[in-house]
Amino acid sequence: MSDSRDKIYATPQLDIAGFRFDQAVASVFPDMIKRSVPGYETIIAMTGTLAERYVQPNSRCYDLGCSLGASSIAMRHHIQQPGCEIIAVDNSEDMLKQCRAVLQQDQSNSEDSSVESSPTESAPIKHTPVELVCGNIEDIPIVNASMVVLNFTLQFIPLEQRAKLLHKIADGLLPGGVLVLSEKVAFTDQQHHELMIDLHHNFKRANGYSDLEISQKRSALEDVLMPETLEVHRQRLRQAGFSSVDVWFQCFNFASLIALK
Ligand code: GEK
């Protein structure tokens, strides 16, 4: 289904168009993101741990820029509270099509394992439902939320729209609610900035990407993915209405922040 190896930039491309989340990307996405983003699997796993801690009964969780639903699945596996729902939003039909299949597979895996592993309990585990929405996260209302996840999505939103989106999220969160914000980041110290890029490229090389793939992907993402510094993220989150903001994970130029309402 979606476990193929990413070879999108393996051959020379005369004209490198801006990166798009199309069918070709959707079909290799899990492999692409694992081999490209240091700490991705840790961040997804901890998104589940944070759901266990912060999700409130009868509230909503939002996975904004859900791709194939990894964050939604992590939340779904860890939510302990009744009456919740997860709203997973992406503006790529191709990504959502794969996401739907991945979620169905996850649902049937957990129904099977609940029957096998606990023969004394007759009722299967009832997972929190996930509603898939195709749309721009800038246009989606955020209501009655106890957890919002922006795992590597804000970086694709135009710079001038980011504050408005974060204000909307803060307004839609219940008191005590959490935003998990994971991003590729930039650094003001130029030497450090270049070092982090270099170490990230080493990480990609160690994961089997060639120099050609690394450089073509870099060109495709230029003007599409716009990283900002951690200080800009912290300040803007505070201005949006979050009372406590800081980094909980960082590897090279990839970081994840927790912002509490
Ligand atoms: C994960 N969170 O696996 N509205 C809705 N979706 C958008 C928008 C937008 N304006 N802009 C981009 N996207 C996921 C990984 S990937 C990150 C997120 C990456 C979607 C886009 O279609 C893609 O699916 C996702 O955001 C970004 O934890 O590939 O670097």
Side-chain angles (χ1 to χ4, degrees):
M1 185 169 51
S2 53
D3 50 2
S4 334
R5 192 157 172 94
D6 169 25
K7 297 195 189 97
I8 292 176
Y9 294 102
T11 49
Q13 297 182 11
L14 283 179
D15 181 23
I16 299 183
F19 188 81
R20 289 178 56 240
F21 291 96
D22 55 14
Q23 215 282 322
V25 169
S27 67
V28 296
F29 188 74
D31 177 72
M32 170 186 282
I33 197 151
K34 267 185 248 162
R35 292 201 288 134
S36 304
V37 175
Y40 173 75
E41 286 167 301
T42 302
I43 290 171
I44 295 299
M46 293 309 135
T47 298
T49 300
L50 291 165
E52 198 166 326
R53 187 178 187 105
Y54 284 105
V55 174
Q56 302 174 27
N58 306 310
S59 68
R60 289 179 166 180
C61 303
Y62 289 85
D63 179 3
L64 303 179
C66 62
S67 299
L68 304 202
S71 305
S72 291
I73 289 173
M75 288 193 279
R76 184 195 224 189
H77 285 185
H78 284 85
I79 291 172
Q80 311 280 317
Q81 303 297 335
C84 296
E85 60 177 332
I86 299 168
I87 319 289
V89 185
D90 207 289
N91 64 357
S92 158
E93 283 282 5
D94 290 319
M95 296 297 264
L96 281 186
K97 193 169 161 221
Q98 292 274 4
C99 183
R100 200 164 286 117
V102 171
L103 285 169
Q104 268 162 13
Q105 186 63 56
D106 176 65
Q107 181 68 28
S108 54
N109 288 350
S110 13
E111 281 166 9
D112 291 352
S113 66
S114 75
V115 171
E116 280 163 24
S117 63
S118 53
T120 51
E121 290 168 25
S122 51
I125 295 167
K126 283 263 187 298
H127 274 317
T128 301
V130 182
E131 185 193 336
L132 289 186
V133 177
C134 187
N136 185 344
I137 59 172
E138 295 174 64
D139 303 331
I140 300 292
I142 306 287
V143 184
N144 188 32
S146 59
M147 180 160 183
V148 177
V149 177
L150 271 172
N151 274 341
F152 306 105
T153 306
L154 189 68
Q155 59 197 17
F156 295 107
I157 300 296
L159 291 172
E160 64 282 6
Q161 305 299 336
R162 294 181 186 182
K164 189 174 166 212
L165 172 62
L166 294 170
H167 265 98
K168 176 177 76 175
I169 293 171
D171 290 349
L173 274 167
L174 297 163
V178 67
L179 166 67
V180 179
L181 171 63
S182 309
E183 288 276 287
K184 185 174 192 181
V185 294
F187 300 89
T188 40
D189 180 316
Q190 196 53 30
Q191 199 178 345
H192 189 71
H193 184 73
E194 280 160 23
L195 174 63
M196 293 301 106
I197 290 174
D198 204 35
L199 290 170
H200 174 224
H201 289 171
N202 282 351
F203 169 89
K204 292 187 75 166
R205 249 175 242 119
N207 283 333
Y209 282 116
S210 67
D211 287 344
L212 177 71
E213 286 175 295
I214 293 170
S215 94
Q216 293 196 125
K217 175 83 176 278
R218 193 181 184 182
S219 306
L221 283 172
E222 215 169 322
D223 303 329
V224 175
L225 188 168
M226 276 160 299
E228 295 171 289
T229 64
L230 284 168
E231 201 34 48
V232 165
H233 283 296
R234 285 195 192 91
Q235 265 181 27
R236 191 174 42 213
L237 287 164
R238 280 193 215 100
Q239 279 162 9
F242 291 95
S243 60
S244 163
V245 175
D246 221 327
V247 171
W248 68 270
F249 179 88
Q250 185 176 350
C251 182
F252 308 141
N253 45 351
F254 291 83
S256 186
L257 296 100
I258 289 174
L260 298 175
K261 172 93 179 268

